[in-house]
């Protein structure tokens, strides 16, 4: 291998056959419960550059020691229990149980956050059904309980630059943004923004109110923004995923209504806000429920959907027709799909070169109800239909985005920038196909091409990325249920269907 290849990271070398990871630790628990969650401590030495001024201005001396203390720490668990697993180099107990009262409901999501008041104190944000529990890793106990959602929480997203801003999505068709650095407004519990056509503070609870009549927060943390469902431009089913934009005051959401939305976020300055009109909303991206979403660039989104079955009408061939022109209803299976799209409206709302942006921004009806202001960069079907594998995206502005896909005893690694782009299609001249029908037909034709190309003989993995295969000796009949990457891309942790955990480290 030449010198240029040695200097290039492994995930940019298309000639590399196997990724440079070695299994270094395996926690076997072959009769344990199936683990659903795995989340690595997400920060490293270089993370200080991407965090906000609160961290980068005065923590440069303390940050290395903080990272060294918690690097490699992993939280794993399922609906009934969570455990903290120390880093690979740590000695002593293999794991420590996070003791929570799960009578409030099952654990549905977990994520890492930081305390704004004590920036070097890591927090775990844990969803107990519809309640948000904030757990201090240093103290080993919960410090806050935040209520508000009217249904089970489906996912938790943490802002990459301001890690005490947390968004929770829920089956109540809403998403809520919490500021973990603020204290509850107990003195004025009815200080709600008005809801048109009313002119006074609203006292509505979940899913439309920020300040219901009863107390919603215990401890530190306050809901500052609610992205309302249903009315005008909100989701019409459970919201399943969310992702903060790394630089602009935006957040993207996806839901079971197969809609991808991009919202303007107003609550970063302590103003309570309710929003029901996103800047972008489209059902043309996916055919089924949106399972995950992530920002790959300023105007580029990664999304993936679940596999599904849907009915389709086709013209019956002459040999099968009993009546000329008869149409037959048949069920068609559609695999889960990765879609990378570019939002074309970013520069319209955030013009290049401008540092100050309007606090209130509104698009037109075509923006928040059915927008065609996007282009699909890539649309790749996931293999293994009808099973939808677990996906996770690792990366930031300092590291290429790596897509991790689990299936059986294998982990697939894809560099998002290596995913093949769709071929360009000529713009239609028929006015009836502009714009929505054209977008939908173009997407369907592109999907048919990629379906035939990547699903033929199940050659998807060999064509698109790298594979880590778990040796049967360490698998014990298990399948990998969830995976995460950390330590600046140098560590991979996965959990199995019978309670085992595996850790891979990048070889030097």
């Amino acid at each position: 291998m030449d010198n240029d290849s040695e200097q290039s990271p492994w995930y940019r070398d298309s000639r590399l056959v196997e990724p440079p990871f070695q299994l270094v630790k395996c926690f076997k628990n072959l009769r344990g419960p199936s683990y659903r969650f795995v989340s690595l401590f997400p920060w490293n030495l270089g993370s200080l550059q991407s965090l906000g001024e609160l961290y980068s201005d005065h923590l440069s001396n303390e940050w290395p020691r903080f990272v060294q203390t918690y690097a490699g720490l992993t939280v794993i668990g399922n609906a009934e229990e969570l455990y903290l697993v120390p880093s690979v180099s740590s000695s002593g107990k293999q794991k420590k149980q996070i003791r929570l009262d799960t009578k409030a409901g099952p654990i549905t999501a977990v994520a890492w956050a930081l305390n704004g008041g004590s920036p070097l104190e890591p927090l775990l944000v844990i969803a107990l059904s519809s309640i948000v529990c904030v757990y201090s890793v240093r103290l080993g106990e919960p410090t806050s309980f935040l209520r508000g959602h009217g249904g089970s929480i489906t996912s938790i997203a943490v802002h990459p630059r301001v890690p005490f801003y947390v968004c929770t999505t829920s089956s109540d068709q809403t998403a809520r943004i919490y500021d973990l650095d603020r204290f509850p407004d107990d003195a004025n519990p009815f200080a709600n923004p008005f809801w048109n056509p009313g002119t006074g503070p609203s006292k509505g609870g979940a899913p439309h109110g920020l300040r219901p009549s009863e107390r919603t927060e215990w401890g530190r943390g306050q809901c500052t923004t609610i992205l309302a469902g249903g009315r005008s431009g909100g989701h019409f089913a459970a919201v399943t995923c969310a992702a903060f934009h790394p630089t602009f005051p935006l957040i993207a959401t996806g839901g079971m209504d197969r809609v991808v939305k991009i919202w303007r976020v107003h609550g970063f300055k302590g103003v309570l806000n309710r929003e029901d009109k996103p800047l972008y909303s489209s059902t043309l991206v996916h055919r089924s429920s949106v399972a995950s979403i992530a920002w790959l660039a300023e105007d580029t989104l990664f999304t993936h959907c679940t596999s599904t079955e849907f009915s389709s009408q086709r013209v019956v061939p002459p040999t099968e027709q009993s009546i000329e022109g008869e149409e037959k209803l048949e069920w068609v299976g559609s695999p889960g799909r990765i879609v990378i799209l570019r939002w074309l409206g970013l520069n319209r709302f955030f013009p290049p070169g401008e540092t100050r942006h309007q606090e209130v921004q509104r698009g037109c009806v075509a923006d928040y109800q059915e927008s065609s202001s996007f282009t699909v960069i890539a649309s790749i079907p996931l293999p293994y239909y009808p099973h939808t594998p677990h996906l996770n995206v690792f990366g930031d502005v300092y590291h290429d985005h790596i897509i991790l896909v689990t299936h059986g005893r294998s982990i697939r690694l894809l560099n998002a920038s290596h995913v093949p782009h769709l071929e360009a299609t000529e713009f239609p001249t028929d006015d009836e196909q502009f714009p929505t029908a054209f977008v939908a037909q173009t997407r369907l034709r592109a999907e048919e091409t990629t379906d035939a190309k990547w699903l033929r003989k199940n050659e998807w993995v060999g064509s698109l990325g790298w594979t880590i295969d778990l040796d049967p000796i360490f698998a014990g009949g298990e399948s990998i249920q969830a995976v995460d990457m950390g330590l600046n891309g140098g560590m991979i942790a996965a959990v199995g269907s019978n309670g085992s955990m595996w850790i891979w480290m990048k070889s030097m």
Side-chain angles (χ1 to χ4, degrees):
M1 189 176 291
D2 54 31
N3 293 332
D4 293 339
S5 298
E6 291 178 354
Q7 296 176 357
S8 178
W10 67 269
Y11 46 81
R12 295 179 184 171
D13 188 357
S14 59
R15 297 172 297 177
L16 188 66
V17 177
E18 296 182 357
F21 287 91
Q22 295 180 347
L23 183 67
V24 296
K25 187 171 283 191
C26 173
F27 300 112
K28 283 193 174 184
N29 187 13
L30 299 183
R31 294 187 178 180
S34 175
Y35 284 146
R36 295 177 50 201
F37 313 117
V38 56
S39 182
L40 279 162
F41 181 77
W43 298 283
N44 54 65
L45 292 176
S47 299
L48 195 62
Q49 303 176 43
S50 60
L51 293 177
E53 295 179 356
L54 175 66
Y55 296 89
S56 58
D57 283 353
H58 62 279
L59 295 181
S60 56
N61 295 330
E62 303 176 53
W63 187 259
R65 183 162 53 89
F66 166 71
V67 171
Q68 184 178 9
T69 302
Y70 296 103
L73 190 62
T74 310
V75 58
I76 63 174
N78 53 34
E80 303 297 331
E81 56 188 9
L82 288 176
Y83 293 94
L84 278 171
V85 181
S87 62
V88 177
S89 59
S90 300
S91 58
K93 293 182 64 176
Q94 290 187 350
K95 59 184 181 181
K96 173 186 176 183
Q97 185 173 5
I98 298 174
R99 300 193 178 278
L100 299 171
D101 183 6
T102 56
K103 293 180 180 179
I107 301 168
T108 58
V110 63
W112 289 88
L114 291 179
N115 191 334
S118 302
L120 299 181
E121 180 178 347
L123 304 173
L124 287 175
V125 183
I126 304 166
L128 297 172
S129 187
S130 61
I131 298 176
V132 178
C133 170
V134 182
Y135 180 91
S136 171
V137 175
R138 181 179 63 85
L139 299 177
E141 61 183 20
T143 59
S144 304
F145 289 95
L146 312 174
R147 293 191 299 147
H149 276 297
S152 179
I153 295 172
T154 55
S155 73
I156 301 173
V158 179
H159 198 290
R161 291 181 57 84
V162 191
F164 48 84
Y165 280 122
V166 175
C167 177
T168 56
T169 62
S170 173
S171 59
D172 66 2
Q173 304 181 12
T174 72
R176 288 173 174 262
I177 298 176
Y178 292 89
D179 183 350
L180 301 184
D181 197 35
R182 295 181 63 180
F183 287 95
D185 190 6
D186 294 329
N188 188 10
F190 307 113
N192 257 325
F194 69 90
W195 182 259
N196 285 326
T199 58
S202 167
K203 299 179 182 179
H208 294 294
L210 285 161
R211 285 288 168 271
S213 56
E214 70 276 8
R215 182 176 179 178
T216 59
E217 293 100 353
W218 176 84
R220 194 166 186 161
Q222 185 181 43
C223 179
T224 60
T225 299
I226 179 172
L227 307 178
R231 186 172 178 172
S232 294
H235 284 279
F236 280 92
V239 189
T240 54
C241 53
F244 283 101
H245 196 284
T247 54
F248 292 115
L250 297 169
I251 189 169
T253 61
M256 289 189 68
D257 53 1
R258 67 186 177 85
V259 183
V260 175
K261 297 180 181 288
I262 300 175
W263 309 74
R264 176 69 156 87
V265 178
H266 307 277
F268 288 160
K269 295 185 178 180
V271 179
L272 301 183
N273 181 68
R274 181 195 291 108
E275 183 60 75
D276 65 348
K277 295 180 178 64
L279 302 182
Y280 165 83
S281 177
S282 181
T283 62
L284 301 175
V285 180
H286 288 296
R287 299 184 188 180
S288 61
S289 173
V290 184
S292 69
I293 195 165
W295 289 95
L296 302 183
E298 282 192 344
D299 58 354
T300 306
L301 274 173
F302 163 92
T303 64
H304 101 273
C305 69
T306 60
S307 61
T308 187
E309 288 186 345
F310 58 92
S311 61
S312 175
Q313 287 187 340
R314 67 179 179 90
V315 177
V316 179
T319 56
E320 300 179 19
Q321 287 184 4
S322 58
I323 303 175
E324 185 177 356
E326 178 186 5
E327 292 189 348
K328 184 177 181 180
L329 188 68
E330 64 178 7
W331 288 95
V332 180
S334 176
R337 181 173 296 274
I338 292 173
V339 174
I340 298 176
L341 65 93
R342 176 171 288 116
W343 179 38
L344 303 179
L346 178 66
N347 290 343
R348 180 157 61 94
F349 295 102
F350 298 93
E354 292 191 10
T355 57
R356 300 183 63 182
H357 306 291
Q358 295 181 354
E359 284 296 320
V360 178
Q361 293 175 320
R362 287 285 186 271
C364 59
V365 174
D367 288 316
Y368 62 78
Q369 289 192 350
E370 188 63 87
S371 176
S372 297
S373 182
F374 74 99
T375 180
V376 175
I377 299 175
S379 179
I380 305 298
L382 292 168
Y384 329 119
Y385 174 82
H387 172 67
T388 303
H390 172 266
L391 264 72
N392 191 19
V393 179
F394 170 84
D396 52 29
V397 294
Y398 302 102
H399 194 288
D400 290 8
H401 288 86
I402 306 300
I403 305 169
L404 298 96
V405 186
T406 67
H407 176 68
R409 295 196 296 264
S410 299
I411 301 174
R412 330 295 188 182
L413 307 175
L414 291 76
N415 189 327
S417 61
H418 292 174
V419 174
H421 291 194
L422 294 179
E423 297 181 0
T425 305
E426 293 184 5
F427 203 81
T429 56
D430 186 356
D431 292 338
E432 294 182 358
Q433 290 188 344
F434 178 83
T436 303
F438 167 65
V439 174
Q441 292 180 13
T442 301
R443 178 183 62 112
L444 291 175
R445 286 197 297 269
E447 288 182 358
E448 290 176 0
T449 302
T450 53
D451 282 352
K453 182 177 181 181
W454 300 114
L455 294 182
R456 186 186 300 117
K457 297 181 181 179
N458 203 19
E459 295 177 350
W460 185 82
V461 175
S463 305
L464 287 182
W466 304 272
T467 307
I468 296 177
D469 291 316
L470 185 62
D471 193 308
I473 298 175
F474 300 102
E478 291 188 78
S479 60
I480 298 175
Q481 299 295 296
V483 64
D484 195 17
M485 179 178 276
L487 288 182
N488 198 30
M491 178 178 174
I492 296 175
V495 290
S497 56
N498 288 337
S500 294
M501 177 183 178
W502 306 276
I503 296 176
W504 290 265
M505 298 293 293
K506 190 178 70 161
S507 55
M508 304 302 293

